[in-house]
PDB file of all heavy atoms in Angstrom:
ATOM      1  N   HIS A  88      84.865  82.305 103.650  1.00 98.00           N
ATOM      2  CA  HIS A  88      84.674  83.566 103.077  1.00 98.00           C
ATOM      3  C   HIS A  88      83.392  83.479 102.007  1.00 98.00           C
ATOM      4  O   HIS A  88      83.373  82.788 101.051  1.00 98.00           O
ATOM      5  CB  HIS A  88      85.779  84.148 102.250  1.00 98.00           C
ATOM      6  CG  HIS A  88      85.717  85.523 101.617  1.00 98.00           C
ATOM      7  ND1 HIS A  88      86.576  85.934 100.679  1.00 98.00           N
ATOM      8  CD2 HIS A  88      84.712  86.369 101.632  1.00 98.00           C
ATOM      9  CE1 HIS A  88      86.166  87.137 100.314  1.00 98.00           C
ATOM     10  NE2 HIS A  88      85.161  87.371 100.838  1.00 98.00           N
ATOM     11  N   VAL A  89      82.221  84.246 102.448  1.00 98.00           N
ATOM     12  CA  VAL A  89      81.114  84.195 101.549  1.00 98.00           C
ATOM     13  C   VAL A  89      80.724  85.642 101.096  1.00 98.00           C
ATOM     14  O   VAL A  89      80.891  86.712 101.922  1.00 98.00           O
ATOM     15  CB  VAL A  89      79.823  83.698 102.486  1.00 98.00           C
ATOM     16  CG1 VAL A  89      78.585  83.664 101.739  1.00 98.00           C
ATOM     17  CG2 VAL A  89      80.119  82.270 103.119  1.00 98.00           C
ATOM     18  N   MET A  90      80.479  85.779  99.936  1.00 98.00           N
ATOM     19  CA  MET A  90      80.110  86.988  99.318  1.00 98.00           C
ATOM     20  C   MET A  90      78.919  86.854  98.374  1.00 98.00           C
ATOM     21  O   MET A  90      79.037  86.032  97.402  1.00 98.00           O
ATOM     22  CB  MET A  90      81.323  87.768  98.669  1.00 98.00           C
ATOM     23  CG  MET A  90      81.038  89.194  97.995  1.00 98.00           C
ATOM     24  SD  MET A  90      82.285  89.960  97.265  1.00 98.00           S
ATOM     25  CE  MET A  90      82.534  89.029  95.868  1.00 98.00           C
ATOM     26  N   ASN A  91      77.921  87.619  98.659  1.00 97.00           N
ATOM     27  CA  ASN A  91      76.644  87.410  97.855  1.00 97.00           C
ATOM     28  C   ASN A  91      76.584  88.250  96.546  1.00 97.00           C
ATOM     29  O   ASN A  91      77.480  89.126  96.438  1.00 97.00           O
ATOM     30  CB  ASN A  91      75.437  87.805  98.600  1.00 97.00           C
ATOM     31  CG  ASN A  91      75.443  89.214  98.987  1.00 97.00           C
ATOM     32  OD1 ASN A  91      76.450  89.733  99.377  1.00 97.00           O
ATOM     33  ND2 ASN A  91      74.414  90.094  98.500  1.00 97.00           N
ATOM     34  N   ILE A  92      76.011  87.675  95.488  1.00 96.00           N
ATOM     35  CA  ILE A  92      75.763  88.449  94.283  1.00 96.00           C
ATOM     36  C   ILE A  92      74.250  88.760  94.272  1.00 96.00           C
ATOM     37  O   ILE A  92      73.346  87.915  94.238  1.00 96.00           O
ATOM     38  CB  ILE A  92      76.090  87.415  93.136  1.00 96.00           C
ATOM     39  CG1 ILE A  92      77.512  86.976  93.169  1.00 96.00           C
ATOM     40  CG2 ILE A  92      75.691  88.154  91.754  1.00 96.00           C
ATOM     41  CD1 ILE A  92      78.510  88.015  92.778  1.00 96.00           C
ATOM     42  N   THR A  93      73.942  90.111  94.213  1.00 93.00           N
ATOM     43  CA  THR A  93      72.608  90.585  94.267  1.00 93.00           C
ATOM     44  C   THR A  93      71.988  90.750  92.828  1.00 93.00           C
ATOM     45  O   THR A  93      72.492  91.517  92.067  1.00 93.00           O
ATOM     46  CB  THR A  93      72.430  91.942  94.873  1.00 93.00           C
ATOM     47  OG1 THR A  93      72.891  91.761  96.252  1.00 93.00           O
ATOM     48  CG2 THR A  93      71.032  92.508  94.862  1.00 93.00           C
ATOM     49  N   ASP A  94      71.230  89.599  92.470  1.00 90.00           N
ATOM     50  CA  ASP A  94      70.616  89.529  91.135  1.00 90.00           C
ATOM     51  C   ASP A  94      69.145  89.603  91.119  1.00 90.00           C
ATOM     52  O   ASP A  94      68.511  89.349  90.092  1.00 90.00           O
ATOM     53  CB  ASP A  94      71.213  88.374  90.450  1.00 90.00           C
ATOM     54  CG  ASP A  94      70.691  87.029  91.117  1.00 90.00           C
ATOM     55  OD1 ASP A  94      70.222  87.074  92.264  1.00 90.00           O
ATOM     56  OD2 ASP A  94      70.878  85.960  90.564  1.00 90.00           O
ATOM     57  N   VAL A  95      68.527  90.067  92.231  1.00 87.00           N
ATOM     58  CA  VAL A  95      67.110  90.276  92.380  1.00 87.00           C
ATOM     59  C   VAL A  95      66.874  91.822  92.583  1.00 87.00           C
ATOM     60  O   VAL A  95      67.629  92.402  93.282  1.00 87.00           O
ATOM     61  CB  VAL A  95      66.557  89.353  93.496  1.00 87.00           C
ATOM     62  CG1 VAL A  95      65.108  89.663  93.658  1.00 87.00           C
ATOM     63  CG2 VAL A  95      66.747  87.888  93.151  1.00 87.00           C
ATOM     64  N   GLY A  96      65.786  92.301  92.076  1.00 66.00           N
ATOM     65  CA  GLY A  96      65.403  93.596  92.147  1.00 66.00           C
ATOM     66  C   GLY A  96      65.347  94.085  93.654  1.00 66.00           C
ATOM     67  O   GLY A  96      64.917  93.247  94.491  1.00 66.00           O
ATOM     68  N   HIS A  97      65.708  95.246  94.020  1.00 49.00           N
ATOM     69  CA  HIS A  97      65.606  95.739  95.384  1.00 49.00           C
ATOM     70  C   HIS A  97      65.343  97.250  95.448  1.00 49.00           C
ATOM     71  O   HIS A  97      64.759  97.714  94.520  1.00 49.00           O
ATOM     72  CB  HIS A  97      66.762  95.354  96.245  1.00 49.00           C
ATOM     73  CG  HIS A  97      68.155  95.880  95.663  1.00 49.00           C
ATOM     74  ND1 HIS A  97      68.499  97.102  95.930  1.00 49.00           N
ATOM     75  CD2 HIS A  97      69.173  95.321  94.968  1.00 49.00           C
ATOM     76  CE1 HIS A  97      69.569  97.386  95.388  1.00 49.00           C
ATOM     77  NE2 HIS A  97      70.037  96.256  94.754  1.00 49.00           N
ATOM     78  N   LEU A  98      65.940  97.891  96.459  1.00 40.00           N
ATOM     79  CA  LEU A  98      65.579  99.274  96.587  1.00 40.00           C
ATOM     80  C   LEU A  98      65.949 100.237  95.514  1.00 40.00           C
ATOM     81  O   LEU A  98      65.578 101.305  95.351  1.00 40.00           O
ATOM     82  CB  LEU A  98      66.355  99.833  97.916  1.00 40.00           C
ATOM     83  CG  LEU A  98      65.899  99.180  99.099  1.00 40.00           C
ATOM     84  CD1 LEU A  98      66.667  99.667 100.288  1.00 40.00           C
ATOM     85  CD2 LEU A  98      64.425  99.372  99.375  1.00 40.00           C
ATOM     86  N   THR A  99      66.724  99.709  94.485  1.00 39.00           N
ATOM     87  CA  THR A  99      67.118 100.767  93.415  1.00 39.00           C
ATOM     88  C   THR A  99      65.981 100.860  92.314  1.00 39.00           C
ATOM     89  O   THR A  99      65.994 101.351  91.339  1.00 39.00           O
ATOM     90  CB  THR A  99      68.261 100.152  92.646  1.00 39.00           C
ATOM     91  OG1 THR A  99      68.098  98.858  92.296  1.00 39.00           O
ATOM     92  CG2 THR A  99      69.610 100.141  93.552  1.00 39.00           C
ATOM     93  N   SER A 100      64.848 100.121  92.806  1.00 41.00           N
ATOM     94  CA  SER A 100      63.664 100.269  91.765  1.00 41.00           C
ATOM     95  C   SER A 100      63.316 101.610  91.526  1.00 41.00           C
ATOM     96  O   SER A 100      63.493 102.500  92.278  1.00 41.00           O
ATOM     97  CB  SER A 100      62.476  99.547  92.423  1.00 41.00           C
ATOM     98  OG  SER A 100      62.646  98.226  92.745  1.00 41.00           O
ATOM     99  N   ASP A 101      62.944 101.782  90.245  1.00 41.00           N
ATOM    100  CA  ASP A 101      62.619 103.112  89.855  1.00 41.00           C
ATOM    101  C   ASP A 101      61.265 103.461  90.406  1.00 41.00           C
ATOM    102  O   ASP A 101      60.234 102.747  90.295  1.00 41.00           O
ATOM    103  CB  ASP A 101      62.471 103.102  88.280  1.00 41.00           C
ATOM    104  CG  ASP A 101      62.047 104.432  87.707  1.00 41.00           C
ATOM    105  OD1 ASP A 101      61.254 105.175  88.428  1.00 41.00           O
ATOM    106  OD2 ASP A 101      62.671 104.822  86.654  1.00 41.00           O
ATOM    107  N   ALA A 102      61.255 104.523  91.229  1.00 41.00           N
ATOM    108  CA  ALA A 102      60.058 104.792  92.054  1.00 41.00           C
ATOM    109  C   ALA A 102      58.886 105.093  91.162  1.00 41.00           C
ATOM    110  O   ALA A 102      57.675 104.947  91.730  1.00 41.00           O
ATOM    111  CB  ALA A 102      60.447 106.003  93.054  1.00 41.00           C
ATOM    112  N   ASP A 103      59.113 105.662  89.986  1.00 39.00           N
ATOM    113  CA  ASP A 103      57.880 106.100  89.231  1.00 39.00           C
ATOM    114  C   ASP A 103      57.202 104.979  88.485  1.00 39.00           C
ATOM    115  O   ASP A 103      56.050 104.836  88.414  1.00 39.00           O
ATOM    116  CB  ASP A 103      58.266 107.030  88.211  1.00 39.00           C
ATOM    117  CG  ASP A 103      58.800 108.359  88.929  1.00 39.00           C
ATOM    118  OD1 ASP A 103      58.274 108.793  89.815  1.00 39.00           O
ATOM    119  OD2 ASP A 103      59.803 108.854  88.424  1.00 39.00           O
TER     120      ASP A 103
END
Side-chain angles (χ1 to χ4, degrees):
H88 178 189
V89 180
M90 180 175 70
N91 64 306
I92 299 285
T93 299
D94 62 349
V95 173
H97 61 78
L98 294 178
T99 55
S100 301
D101 183 317
D103 300 314

